[in-house]
Amino acid sequence: ILIADTFKDDNYLRPFLYHDAMQYMRFLKTIVNSLSNMSNNIIIRHRDDAIISSKYLKIIFKNFSNVEIRSDGKLTDFFIKDPIVISYSSTVIFESLLFNLRTITFDLFNTGMNFLNAPNFNKTSHISKRFFYKINSIDDLKYLLCKI
């Protein structure tokens, strides 16, 4: 599982930004905590030039053996292993769709933004091998990943 959604300050041109660094940290912690019982490896793709350092993230997630904080290589290098990409408003969503990766936009804070108009996931959805869903609850995230 690849989480690619780096916090950026207001100087970056992005369609939507986290309101603060703590909101970004809550996003990451929510995903990692909810998936900690699964056997999946979780890679948090993080840029070193962000306000929050990779070193700090490594300290925060040190007790999770299946979590890696990575800032090396190009983003597409991480696509080779065909991950499930989880993001909120990062341009990684565009890139993962171009590579036909399984993609989840996770609107944890219920902003109502449907990034790139992903279909809303619900428990009656037929999950294809390649999917692109919008979810806004941790229960939906867990349910969706259990079905894959």
Side-chain angles (χ1 to χ4, degrees):
I1 295 175
L2 176 65
I3 305 170
D5 210 319
T6 305
F7 177 80
K8 296 167 184 65
D9 63 32
D10 291 337
N11 292 326
Y12 284 83
L13 296 174
R14 292 286 189 229
F16 192 87
L17 297 172
Y18 294 96
H19 294 296
D20 58 44
M22 295 312 294
Q23 190 178 41
Y24 169 67
M25 290 302 302
R26 184 172 160 217
F27 176 83
L28 294 178
K29 286 179 182 180
T30 298
I31 295 171
V32 169
N33 285 331
S34 69
L35 303 179
S36 62
N37 293 333
M38 299 181 118
S39 61
N40 302 59
N41 288 332
I42 301 170
I43 298 172
I44 298 175
R45 171 80 170 140
H46 188 76
R47 293 182 182 175
D48 278 332
D49 63 349
I51 292 169
I52 301 166
S53 70
S54 294
K55 185 177 179 180
Y56 176 72
L57 289 178
K58 287 177 183 177
I59 292 168
I60 295 296
F61 295 108
K62 69 180 177 192
N63 294 328
F64 295 91
S65 60
N66 63 334
V67 174
E68 288 182 66
I69 311 299
R70 302 280 303 270
S71 58
D72 58 313
K74 296 180 284 185
L75 179 63
T76 52
D77 294 342
F78 294 87
F79 290 170
I80 293 170
K81 293 187 177 181
D82 191 24
I84 298 169
V85 177
I86 302 174
S87 189
Y88 171 50
S89 66
S90 177
T91 54
V92 73
I93 296 170
F94 292 108
E95 294 155 315
S96 66
L97 290 173
L98 287 173
F99 281 80
N100 196 28
L101 298 176
R102 298 160 294 174
T103 306
I104 299 170
T105 65
F106 186 28
D107 185 6
L108 176 63
F109 305 105
N110 293 311
T111 64
M113 184 178 82
N114 195 350
F115 200 69
L116 294 179
N117 297 316
N120 289 311
F121 172 77
N122 62 57
K123 290 179 173 59
T124 61
S125 296
H126 171 72
I127 302 168
S128 64
K129 290 182 182 180
R130 298 289 159 195
F131 58 81
F132 174 43
Y133 283 118
K134 176 195 179 225
I135 58 172
N136 61 6
S137 78
I138 202 65
D139 288 340
D140 282 350
L141 178 62
K142 288 179 184 178
Y143 188 84
L144 175 59
L145 293 176
C146 283
K147 292 290 186 182
I148 299 170

mmCIF file of all heavy atoms in Angstrom, residues 49-74:
data_model
loop_
_atom_site.group_PDB
_atom_site.id
_atom_site.type_symbol
_atom_site.label_atom_id
_atom_site.label_comp_id
_atom_site.label_asym_id
_atom_site.label_seq_id
_atom_site.Cartn_x
_atom_site.Cartn_y
_atom_site.Cartn_z
ATOM 1 N N ASP A 49 11.663 17.882 1.463
ATOM 2 C CA ASP A 49 11.576 19.343 1.568
ATOM 3 C C ASP A 49 10.271 19.812 2.220
ATOM 4 O O ASP A 49 9.985 21.000 2.253
ATOM 5 C CB ASP A 49 11.740 19.991 0.192
ATOM 6 C CG ASP A 49 10.639 19.613 -0.794
ATOM 7 O OD1 ASP A 49 9.852 18.687 -0.495
ATOM 8 O OD2 ASP A 49 10.574 20.243 -1.861
ATOM 9 N N ALA A 50 9.502 18.902 2.766
ATOM 10 C CA ALA A 50 8.245 19.255 3.411
ATOM 11 C C ALA A 50 8.506 19.834 4.804
ATOM 12 O O ALA A 50 9.581 19.660 5.371
ATOM 13 C CB ALA A 50 7.333 18.033 3.526
ATOM 14 N N ILE A 51 7.504 20.498 5.348
ATOM 15 C CA ILE A 51 7.607 21.079 6.683
ATOM 16 C C ILE A 51 7.864 19.978 7.716
ATOM 17 O O ILE A 51 8.624 20.154 8.661
ATOM 18 C CB ILE A 51 6.320 21.865 7.021
ATOM 19 C CG1 ILE A 51 6.227 23.095 6.116
ATOM 20 C CG2 ILE A 51 6.285 22.272 8.483
ATOM 21 C CD1 ILE A 51 4.899 23.809 6.168
ATOM 22 N N ILE A 52 7.243 18.840 7.534
ATOM 23 C CA ILE A 52 7.430 17.693 8.412
ATOM 24 C C ILE A 52 8.560 16.842 7.823
ATOM 25 O O ILE A 52 8.499 16.449 6.665
ATOM 26 C CB ILE A 52 6.138 16.866 8.512
ATOM 27 C CG1 ILE A 52 5.008 17.735 9.055
ATOM 28 C CG2 ILE A 52 6.342 15.630 9.365
ATOM 29 C CD1 ILE A 52 3.648 17.138 8.878
ATOM 30 N N SER A 53 9.566 16.556 8.607
ATOM 31 C CA SER A 53 10.712 15.820 8.084
ATOM 32 C C SER A 53 10.449 14.311 8.059
ATOM 33 O O SER A 53 9.641 13.787 8.828
ATOM 34 C CB SER A 53 11.952 16.095 8.947
ATOM 35 O OG SER A 53 11.818 15.490 10.218
ATOM 36 N N SER A 54 11.159 13.637 7.186
ATOM 37 C CA SER A 54 11.092 12.176 7.129
ATOM 38 C C SER A 54 11.587 11.574 8.439
ATOM 39 O O SER A 54 11.068 10.557 8.904
ATOM 40 C CB SER A 54 11.934 11.645 5.970
ATOM 41 O OG SER A 54 11.393 12.053 4.751
ATOM 42 N N LYS A 55 12.566 12.204 9.032
ATOM 43 C CA LYS A 55 13.103 11.730 10.312
ATOM 44 C C LYS A 55 12.008 11.741 11.386
ATOM 45 O O LYS A 55 11.884 10.794 12.169
ATOM 46 C CB LYS A 55 14.275 12.621 10.729
ATOM 47 C CG LYS A 55 14.988 12.171 11.968
ATOM 48 C CD LYS A 55 16.175 13.081 12.252
ATOM 49 C CE LYS A 55 16.885 12.641 13.517
ATOM 50 N NZ LYS A 55 18.038 13.507 13.818
ATOM 51 N N TYR A 56 11.210 12.790 11.416
ATOM 52 C CA TYR A 56 10.114 12.883 12.381
ATOM 53 C C TYR A 56 9.081 11.782 12.130
ATOM 54 O O TYR A 56 8.616 11.122 13.060
ATOM 55 C CB TYR A 56 9.460 14.259 12.308
ATOM 56 C CG TYR A 56 8.261 14.420 13.209
ATOM 57 C CD1 TYR A 56 8.406 14.515 14.583
ATOM 58 C CD2 TYR A 56 6.973 14.462 12.675
ATOM 59 C CE1 TYR A 56 7.304 14.651 15.415
ATOM 60 C CE2 TYR A 56 5.867 14.603 13.495
ATOM 61 C CZ TYR A 56 6.039 14.697 14.869
ATOM 62 O OH TYR A 56 4.951 14.822 15.678
ATOM 63 N N LEU A 57 8.731 11.559 10.864
ATOM 64 C CA LEU A 57 7.765 10.505 10.536
ATOM 65 C C LEU A 57 8.290 9.130 10.951
ATOM 66 O O LEU A 57 7.523 8.288 11.422
ATOM 67 C CB LEU A 57 7.436 10.514 9.048
ATOM 68 C CG LEU A 57 6.580 11.688 8.559
ATOM 69 C CD1 LEU A 57 6.370 11.596 7.057
ATOM 70 C CD2 LEU A 57 5.250 11.731 9.277
ATOM 71 N N LYS A 58 9.574 8.902 10.779
ATOM 72 C CA LYS A 58 10.156 7.619 11.186
ATOM 73 C C LYS A 58 10.026 7.413 12.691
ATOM 74 O O LYS A 58 9.782 6.292 13.148
ATOM 75 C CB LYS A 58 11.617 7.535 10.744
ATOM 76 C CG LYS A 58 11.758 7.331 9.251
ATOM 77 C CD LYS A 58 13.198 7.312 8.812
ATOM 78 C CE LYS A 58 13.255 7.180 7.299
ATOM 79 N NZ LYS A 58 14.597 7.213 6.773
ATOM 80 N N ILE A 59 10.154 8.476 13.450
ATOM 81 C CA ILE A 59 9.978 8.380 14.904
ATOM 82 C C ILE A 59 8.525 8.076 15.238
ATOM 83 O O ILE A 59 8.229 7.219 16.072
ATOM 84 C CB ILE A 59 10.442 9.687 15.596
ATOM 85 C CG1 ILE A 59 11.952 9.834 15.460
ATOM 86 C CG2 ILE A 59 10.015 9.724 17.062
ATOM 87 C CD1 ILE A 59 12.480 11.205 15.845
ATOM 88 N N ILE A 60 7.599 8.757 14.579
ATOM 89 C CA ILE A 60 6.165 8.576 14.837
ATOM 90 C C ILE A 60 5.728 7.137 14.559
ATOM 91 O O ILE A 60 4.939 6.553 15.305
ATOM 92 C CB ILE A 60 5.321 9.559 13.996
ATOM 93 C CG1 ILE A 60 5.582 10.999 14.418
ATOM 94 C CG2 ILE A 60 3.839 9.230 14.062
ATOM 95 C CD1 ILE A 60 5.176 11.329 15.836
ATOM 96 N N PHE A 61 6.249 6.545 13.493
ATOM 97 C CA PHE A 61 5.806 5.213 13.071
ATOM 98 C C PHE A 61 6.820 4.108 13.389
ATOM 99 O O PHE A 61 6.750 3.027 12.819
ATOM 100 C CB PHE A 61 5.474 5.229 11.578
ATOM 101 C CG PHE A 61 4.315 6.114 11.242
ATOM 102 C CD1 PHE A 61 4.505 7.310 10.573
ATOM 103 C CD2 PHE A 61 3.024 5.768 11.620
ATOM 104 C CE1 PHE A 61 3.432 8.131 10.277
ATOM 105 C CE2 PHE A 61 1.951 6.588 11.335
ATOM 106 C CZ PHE A 61 2.156 7.776 10.668
ATOM 107 N N LYS A 62 7.713 4.343 14.324
ATOM 108 C CA LYS A 62 8.768 3.367 14.635
ATOM 109 C C LYS A 62 8.226 2.052 15.180
ATOM 110 O O LYS A 62 8.867 1.012 15.030
ATOM 111 C CB LYS A 62 9.778 3.961 15.607
ATOM 112 C CG LYS A 62 9.242 4.185 16.999
ATOM 113 C CD LYS A 62 10.272 4.779 17.914
ATOM 114 C CE LYS A 62 9.614 5.026 19.276
ATOM 115 N NZ LYS A 62 10.414 5.830 20.120
ATOM 116 N N ASN A 63 7.056 2.054 15.775
ATOM 117 C CA ASN A 63 6.495 0.828 16.353
ATOM 118 C C ASN A 63 5.714 -0.017 15.348
ATOM 119 O O ASN A 63 5.158 -1.047 15.721
ATOM 120 C CB ASN A 63 5.603 1.166 17.547
ATOM 121 C CG ASN A 63 6.402 1.750 18.692
ATOM 122 O OD1 ASN A 63 7.559 1.409 18.884
ATOM 123 N ND2 ASN A 63 5.787 2.653 19.433
ATOM 124 N N PHE A 64 5.675 0.421 14.120
ATOM 125 C CA PHE A 64 4.962 -0.319 13.072
ATOM 126 C C PHE A 64 5.994 -0.947 12.138
ATOM 127 O O PHE A 64 6.612 -0.267 11.325
ATOM 128 C CB PHE A 64 4.031 0.605 12.283
ATOM 129 C CG PHE A 64 2.913 1.167 13.105
ATOM 130 C CD1 PHE A 64 3.060 2.380 13.777
ATOM 131 C CD2 PHE A 64 1.709 0.487 13.206
ATOM 132 C CE1 PHE A 64 2.028 2.896 14.542
ATOM 133 C CE2 PHE A 64 0.667 1.003 13.960
ATOM 134 C CZ PHE A 64 0.836 2.208 14.637
ATOM 135 N N SER A 65 6.169 -2.253 12.263
ATOM 136 C CA SER A 65 7.197 -2.935 11.481
ATOM 137 C C SER A 65 6.893 -2.976 9.990
ATOM 138 O O SER A 65 7.792 -3.169 9.180
ATOM 139 C CB SER A 65 7.396 -4.361 12.003
ATOM 140 O OG SER A 65 6.188 -5.088 11.896
ATOM 141 N N ASN A 66 5.622 -2.797 9.623
ATOM 142 C CA ASN A 66 5.256 -2.872 8.206
ATOM 143 C C ASN A 66 5.213 -1.503 7.529
ATOM 144 O O ASN A 66 4.773 -1.390 6.393
ATOM 145 C CB ASN A 66 3.914 -3.586 8.040
ATOM 146 C CG ASN A 66 2.762 -2.846 8.707
ATOM 147 O OD1 ASN A 66 2.960 -2.093 9.662
ATOM 148 N ND2 ASN A 66 1.558 -3.065 8.212
ATOM 149 N N VAL A 67 5.684 -0.436 8.210
ATOM 150 C CA VAL A 67 5.644 0.918 7.649
ATOM 151 C C VAL A 67 7.053 1.378 7.289
ATOM 152 O O VAL A 67 7.970 1.289 8.085
ATOM 153 C CB VAL A 67 5.008 1.919 8.639
ATOM 154 C CG1 VAL A 67 5.100 3.347 8.112
ATOM 155 C CG2 VAL A 67 3.566 1.551 8.914
ATOM 156 N N GLU A 68 7.184 1.870 6.060
ATOM 157 C CA GLU A 68 8.435 2.473 5.594
ATOM 158 C C GLU A 68 8.157 3.919 5.228
ATOM 159 O O GLU A 68 7.139 4.215 4.596
ATOM 160 C CB GLU A 68 8.943 1.802 4.325
ATOM 161 C CG GLU A 68 9.496 0.431 4.465
ATOM 162 C CD GLU A 68 9.993 -0.059 3.115
ATOM 163 O OE1 GLU A 68 10.966 0.513 2.579
ATOM 164 O OE2 GLU A 68 9.366 -0.985 2.588
ATOM 165 N N ILE A 69 9.066 4.813 5.597
ATOM 166 C CA ILE A 69 9.004 6.204 5.161
ATOM 167 C C ILE A 69 10.049 6.334 4.070
ATOM 168 O O ILE A 69 11.236 6.100 4.303
ATOM 169 C CB ILE A 69 9.318 7.189 6.314
ATOM 170 C CG1 ILE A 69 8.513 6.858 7.567
ATOM 171 C CG2 ILE A 69 9.113 8.629 5.854
ATOM 172 C CD1 ILE A 69 7.027 6.924 7.433
ATOM 173 N N ARG A 70 9.628 6.681 2.874
ATOM 174 C CA ARG A 70 10.550 6.716 1.733
ATOM 175 C C ARG A 70 10.493 8.073 1.032
ATOM 176 O O ARG A 70 9.419 8.622 0.822
ATOM 177 C CB ARG A 70 10.176 5.633 0.723
ATOM 178 C CG ARG A 70 10.157 4.213 1.251
ATOM 179 C CD ARG A 70 11.536 3.593 1.334
ATOM 180 N NE ARG A 70 12.219 3.585 0.063
ATOM 181 C CZ ARG A 70 12.156 2.592 -0.827
ATOM 182 N NH1 ARG A 70 11.428 1.521 -0.576
ATOM 183 N NH2 ARG A 70 12.824 2.673 -1.948
ATOM 184 N N SER A 71 11.654 8.569 0.686
ATOM 185 C CA SER A 71 11.727 9.812 -0.081
ATOM 186 C C SER A 71 12.665 9.671 -1.278
ATOM 187 O O SER A 71 12.871 10.612 -2.011
ATOM 188 C CB SER A 71 12.191 10.971 0.816
ATOM 189 O OG SER A 71 13.444 10.675 1.375
ATOM 190 N N ASP A 72 13.216 8.488 -1.457
ATOM 191 C CA ASP A 72 14.176 8.249 -2.523
ATOM 192 C C ASP A 72 13.485 7.905 -3.834
ATOM 193 O O ASP A 72 12.338 7.489 -3.852
ATOM 194 C CB ASP A 72 15.110 7.107 -2.130
ATOM 195 C CG ASP A 72 14.327 5.829 -1.823
ATOM 196 O OD1 ASP A 72 13.342 5.919 -1.079
ATOM 197 O OD2 ASP A 72 14.698 4.752 -2.340
ATOM 198 N N GLY A 73 14.196 8.079 -4.917
ATOM 199 C CA GLY A 73 13.697 7.677 -6.229
ATOM 200 C C GLY A 73 12.540 8.517 -6.746
ATOM 201 O O GLY A 73 12.043 9.410 -6.074
ATOM 202 N N LYS A 74 12.146 8.189 -7.961
ATOM 203 C CA LYS A 74 10.993 8.851 -8.568
ATOM 204 C C LYS A 74 9.725 8.145 -8.115
ATOM 205 O O LYS A 74 9.743 6.960 -7.784
ATOM 206 C CB LYS A 74 11.087 8.788 -10.099
ATOM 207 C CG LYS A 74 12.266 9.545 -10.687
ATOM 208 C CD LYS A 74 12.278 9.427 -12.185
ATOM 209 C CE LYS A 74 12.787 8.042 -12.533
ATOM 210 N NZ LYS A 74 12.978 7.800 -13.939
#
